[in-house]
């Protein structure tokens, strides 16, 4: 999946209108502020990487994270949409919020944030032990 293919896919409407993106490619990671437009995601340097193969993409605002994962064999895409509304229905004891510092090389002036929030979601197993279930990135 490339950014060029993404804008034409059925996945595109599920991406938040604006926020931050983390794009993982074979040889690099990109962290940028973006805005969704009809012709694709708009962010600094977008044109240069439109056709690079994505391995993983996280697009998020304060309440919603859109996640797209390419399986190891490249044949399948896994899409997740996680939001704060879902967490309201969860047991509060199963949610843990962490703040993660963004490394200096990934936070140029235009990014505007130094920390990301990671909302960890847990669940109980059949043996009544807690285990990680998922997470959502926010700011």
């Amino acid at each position: 999946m490339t950014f060029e293919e993404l804008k034409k896919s059925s996945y595109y409407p599920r991406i938040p209108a604006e926020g931050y993106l983390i794009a993982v490619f074979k040889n690099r990671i990109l962290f940028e502020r973006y805005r969704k437009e009809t012709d694709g995601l708009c962010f600094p340097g977008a044109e240069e990487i439109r056709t690079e193969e994505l391995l993983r993409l996280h697009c998020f605002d304060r309440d919603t994270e859109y996640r797209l994962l390419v399986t190891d064999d490249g044949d399948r895409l896994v899409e997740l949409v996680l939001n704060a509304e879902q967490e309201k229905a969860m047991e509060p004891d199963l949610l843990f919020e962490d703040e993660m510092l963004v490394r200096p090389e990934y936070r140029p002036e235009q990014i505007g944030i130094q920390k990301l929030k990671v909302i960890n979601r847990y669940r109980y197993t059949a043996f009544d032990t807690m285990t990680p279930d998922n997470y959502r990135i926010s700011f």
Side-chain angles (χ1 to χ4, degrees), residues 63-106:
D63 297 322
T64 303
E65 178 191 351
Y66 170 85
R67 191 180 311 157
L68 185 67
L69 312 166
V70 178
T71 59
D72 290 338
D73 58 12
D75 289 341
R76 206 166 57 90
L77 299 174
V78 177
E79 178 192 41
L80 292 168
V81 178
L82 305 153
N83 60 51
E85 198 61 37
Q86 296 162 337
E87 293 158 3
K88 288 179 183 177
M90 293 179 66
E91 187 177 323
D93 290 342
L94 296 178
L95 295 170
F96 295 93
E97 189 174 297
D98 287 327
E99 283 191 339
M100 303 293 196
L101 286 172
V102 178
R103 292 177 60 163
E105 61 265 31
Y106 294 113

Side-chain angles (χ1 to χ4, degrees), residues 14-60:
R14 298 179 181 122
I15 296 174
E18 62 181 61
Y20 294 92
L21 67 79
I22 299 171
V24 179
F25 302 95
K26 186 176 181 179
N27 296 319
R28 66 178 163 152
I29 297 172
L30 178 69
F31 178 49
E32 287 289 349
R33 182 183 277 284
Y34 78 91
R35 188 178 64 256
K36 186 167 81 170
E37 297 181 354
T38 54
D39 62 338
L41 297 180
C42 181
F43 56 89
E47 285 304 314
E48 292 84 46
I49 61 166
R50 288 267 181 230
T51 58
E52 272 189 56
E53 288 292 324
L54 284 162
L55 300 177
R56 185 179 195 117
L57 177 65
H58 302 261
C59 293
F60 55 95

